[in-house]
Amino acid sequence: MNPMDIGFMQQAIQEAQLASASGEVPVGAVIVAAGRIIARSHNQTELLKDPTAHAEMLAITSAANYLGSKYLNECTLYVTVEPCPMCAGAIGWAQLGSLVYGASDDKRGYSIFAPSALHPKTVVRSGVMAEEAGHLMQAFFGKRRR
């Protein structure tokens, strides 16, 4: 596994931990351009009372504002869990150069419901720190079930 992928995914996991600490589903994201983080976020659907306030969506908005462009084709999105179809659509419209995610989402992941939502040139790498990201999700939902 690429050491840079590990470092940036660790940053996304820190964002996911912030989400969990505030009662949000623990998904975190960072966007990287030219080797540095230009945007970071975590789920904020409860805080904002907004079903679209997923980590990926918020990070894409932040990165686009930072770059002054709606296209992020020179950027990489690191996210702890496989994006949902909504987020995959946004990733596609932003034309992100790369998507790197940790844990797969067998219930709501884009690869099941919208496998062609991404831009055709987007490079996808999955399974980066999947165990750590999956553990955050399992622990969060385990607490909610009790």
Side-chain angles (χ1 to χ4, degrees):
M1 221 174 285
N2 180 337
M4 284 185 57
D5 282 352
I6 300 287
F8 290 128
M9 187 60 75
Q10 286 172 334
Q11 294 295 309
I13 286 174
Q14 287 179 0
E15 287 293 320
Q17 290 166 335
L18 291 173
S20 183
S22 60
E24 301 278 356
V25 174
V27 178
V30 298
I31 295 181
V32 174
R36 59 186 254 267
I37 296 173
I38 62 167
R40 59 175 59 236
S41 192
H42 55 270
N43 277 2
Q44 296 183 38
T45 59
E46 299 299 326
L47 174 69
L48 300 176
K49 307 290 186 248
D50 180 355
T52 69
H54 290 194
E56 302 96 322
M57 301 293 277
L58 297 171
I60 288 168
T61 298
S62 181
N65 286 332
Y66 179 86
L67 294 174
S69 174
K70 65 182 181 178
Y71 298 117
L72 305 176
N73 54 328
E74 298 295 321
C75 298
T76 299
L77 168 65
Y78 291 85
V79 61
T80 56
V81 178
E82 178 183 353
C84 71
M86 173 185 70
C87 292
I91 292 164
W93 284 109
Q95 298 182 16
L96 268 145
S98 299
L99 165 64
V100 180
Y101 67 87
S104 295
D105 185 344
D106 297 333
K107 293 181 182 174
R108 293 185 174 92
Y110 84 92
S111 62
I112 294 170
F113 296 104
S116 59
L118 302 179
H119 189 274
K121 292 183 181 178
T122 299
V123 175
V124 178
R125 294 186 301 281
S126 61
V128 176
M129 297 186 72
E131 188 175 318
E132 294 88 338
H135 177 70
L136 284 172
M137 294 292 279
Q138 290 168 349
F140 178 82
F141 286 110
K143 285 179 187 173
R144 291 186 80 171
R145 285 187 202 104
R146 288 183 226 139

